[in-house]
Amino acid sequence: MATKVQKSGDSVSEVPEVALSADNLEEENRRLRREVKELHLSQRVSDEYLSVVTHELSTPLTAIKAYVEALTMHHKDPEFTQSTEFLRVLDRETSRLIRLVDRTQQISRLTNGKHVVRPSHVDLQDLVDDVTDALRPLLEDRAVEFLSDLPMDMQAVAVDRDLCKQLLINLVHNAIKFSPEAGKVFLRADVKDDRAEITVSDEGCGVGPEDQQHIFEPFFRCSQVSTDVERGSGLGLAIAKTIVEQHGGLIAVESEVGKGTVLRFSLPLP
Amino acid sequence: MQKRILIVDDDEPLATVLTYALRNEGLQVDWVNDGMKALSYLGVNRPDLIVMDIMMPNLNGLETMRITRQNELMDGVSILALSAKRLTDRESMELEGLCDAYMPKPFGVEHLLGTIMQLLSSTV
């Protein structure tokens, strides 16, 4: 096309247009290449996510299948005395599977914007009291003390109550789980840059620098963790991060192995 | 003589039912829930077969197998690897050189028992 334009005197005026079209095409090509690259990346992220979800579902499923097989094979055997115990495990493992599916759906709804955040004025002390009530059995079981320090001048935060209750439950639950027996978990709030800055800290085993980079990723598990700690869904912190982000904030981790962990995030004030 | 199996898996419910199923077959079974504890166990015990999960905290199954295979005292010990994780090509290749059989999770216990019995019959 460029050759034809050079040969024709009448077409001189077309030159800038053709040149512009060529530029446009080049720009369009670059845009399309970028889009293809982004789609490949997003496909890879989806594949990896699917692979992790499959792994997490396979673990309880393997146990469930094994218990069902054992019960089917032996339940009529008079010497088989473990029926009740095996049924209890089956109940626990199916609940774990249901919890995992619920949480996976929840994180998907939150990240796809399908869950509408409905902020209202929420009394922070009320919220903390609710969290304490919800976690009381775990606090008593682990003999851990949960203490809060809220400033007198901060009456309320402008948040979605249900989501923020879950956010605090996830963070405090994690802190209790990794606390030593008779340890202390603190929730502190302060006003910073016109937002409520909240920290949840524990005196637990801490998180290494390498693990800190991945701690908010779905299904991530710290490499150095006691096998005595009950295995969770691996989604608690990922959901917490999404909830904080839905409220226009950021969440960060500070930790030292053997000393404890602090999770810091902010929420909007009214 | 009663054959001895070591289960290395951090999933307690699964380890419990596998222990039950294997003892039912007349096998002696021990269980540890991570790779570090497996290495401590193998420092003083020599099982006939190890059932090894791949994804575990502290020391994963691949690393544990790598160290175990370097221990001459463990020559002839069969390893059956289990994993719920989809393995990369590189992991699969490495696993092939480290274990005698591999079963992806979820699996049926009957299938697992069959594989274990087959591996045990080939051990000295």
Side-chain angles (χ1 to χ4, degrees):
Chain A
M1 189 182 255
T3 315
K4 186 180 167 190
V5 170
Q6 279 173 358
K7 278 184 181 173
S8 165
D10 296 340
S11 303
V12 172
S13 64
E14 289 176 27
V15 172
E17 197 178 319
V18 170
L20 190 64
S21 296
D23 279 353
N24 283 352
L25 273 175
E26 189 50 41
E27 176 55 35
E28 187 66 6
N29 266 338
R30 274 199 294 270
R31 190 183 66 78
L32 284 171
R33 275 199 295 269
R34 256 195 326 267
E35 264 184 31
V36 167
K37 206 172 158 185
E38 279 164 14
L39 278 170
H40 278 154
L41 182 68
S42 134
Q43 178 66 38
R44 214 184 69 214
V45 170
S46 299
D47 284 352
E48 280 170 13
Y49 188 73
L50 190 64
S51 160
V52 178
V53 171
T54 311
H55 168 262
E56 293 301 317
L57 293 174
S58 295
T59 304
L61 264 180
T62 309
I64 289 168
K65 183 164 171 51
Y67 279 92
V68 170
E69 274 187 52
L71 281 165
T72 309
M73 212 182 304
H74 303 289
H75 75 287
K76 285 186 179 162
D77 180 351
E79 286 180 23
F80 181 69
T81 55
Q82 287 106 316
S83 292
T84 312
E85 181 200 331
F86 280 19
L87 285 168
R88 265 199 209 114
V89 181
L90 271 175
D91 184 43
R92 213 172 49 225
E93 288 297 290
T94 41
S95 298
R96 179 172 150 194
L97 208 51
I98 291 166
R99 213 164 42 238
L100 196 60
V101 171
D102 276 352
R103 290 195 149 201
T104 309
Q105 283 174 338
Q106 191 190 8
I107 203 164
S108 159
R109 276 198 307 273
L110 279 168
T111 48
N112 293 338
K114 285 180 185 157
H115 185 113
V116 183
V117 178
R118 291 190 176 85
S120 61
H121 288 201
V122 176
D123 186 290
L124 199 52
Q125 185 62 57
D126 272 1
L127 204 58
V128 170
D129 291 344
D130 277 4
V131 171
T132 312
D133 285 343
L135 295 173
R136 199 176 300 285
L138 182 67
L139 283 164
E140 284 171 5
D141 185 46
R142 307 265 309 138
V144 169
E145 203 176 346
F146 175 41
L147 304 159
S148 60
D149 180 11
L150 310 177
M152 296 296 284
D153 57 345
M154 190 199 294
Q155 292 298 317
V157 278
V159 296
D160 184 309
R161 194 179 205 288
D162 291 341
L163 284 182
C164 274
K165 183 178 167 187
Q166 182 169 7
L167 160 70
L168 294 184
I169 286 180
N170 287 6
L171 299 184
V172 177
H173 183 280
N174 240 32
I176 300 169
K177 200 165 90 169
F178 292 102
S179 283
E181 211 167 281
K184 288 186 178 71
V185 170
F186 295 95
L187 185 147
R188 293 186 179 92
D190 225 331
V191 178
K192 193 176 177 189
D193 300 332
D194 295 330
R195 287 178 68 90
E197 187 183 74
I198 300 173
T199 58
V200 174
S201 54
D202 65 56
E203 303 169 330
C205 51
V207 182
E210 173 64 24
D211 285 351
Q212 284 179 32
Q213 295 172 28
H214 306 283
I215 201 163
F216 297 108
E217 291 171 11
F219 302 114
F220 177 74
R221 290 180 203 285
C222 291
S223 50
Q224 304 290 319
V225 62
S226 164
T227 38
D228 297 333
V229 172
E230 193 201 340
R231 193 185 165 100
S233 68
L235 288 171
L237 288 183
I239 289 175
K241 177 177 183 273
T242 314
I243 295 174
V244 171
E245 285 171 353
Q246 298 282 333
H247 286 86
L250 291 170
I251 187 165
V253 59
E254 299 151 23
S255 186
E256 201 175 328
V257 173
K259 294 211 167 155
T261 302
V262 181
L263 288 160
R264 187 183 301 277
F265 59 97
S266 74
L267 294 174
L269 290 168
Chain B
M1 200 178 135
Q2 200 181 27
K3 300 263 186 178
R4 190 195 277 197
I5 314 276
L6 171 68
I7 297 173
V8 189
D9 198 319
D10 61 328
D11 189 30
E12 185 182 351
L14 181 65
T16 307
V17 73
L18 291 186
T19 302
Y20 167 80
L22 291 167
R23 285 189 182 148
N24 224 31
E25 295 295 319
L27 299 163
Q28 189 185 333
V29 187
D30 293 309
W31 166 56
V32 290
N33 57 11
D34 71 37
M36 292 303 285
K37 289 177 190 159
L39 293 181
S40 305
Y41 174 97
L42 295 170
V44 282
N45 297 282
R46 187 185 185 282
D48 297 285
L49 184 142
I50 305 170
V51 177
M52 177 84 71
D53 186 31
I54 304 287
M55 272 186 86
M56 289 181 294
N58 300 328
L59 191 68
N60 71 37
L62 277 175
E63 286 164 9
T64 312
M65 278 189 269
R66 224 175 281 144
I67 298 168
T68 306
R69 285 305 189 204
Q70 284 165 5
N71 179 353
E72 285 177 9
L73 294 172
M74 293 300 133
D75 282 353
V77 174
S78 298
I79 301 182
L80 167 58
L82 310 175
S83 180
K85 179 181 181 275
R86 195 171 63 184
L87 300 174
T88 61
D89 290 346
R90 197 173 157 189
E91 284 170 332
S92 295
M93 270 176 62
E94 188 181 8
L95 188 63
E96 214 170 292
L98 291 170
C99 70
D100 299 275
Y102 165 69
M103 288 182 78
K105 290 180 182 177
F107 50 77
V109 175
E110 284 298 294
H111 186 196
L112 181 91
L113 288 179
T115 309
I116 288 178
M117 291 309 175
Q118 204 177 348
L119 288 172
L120 285 177
S121 66
S122 60
T123 57
V124 186

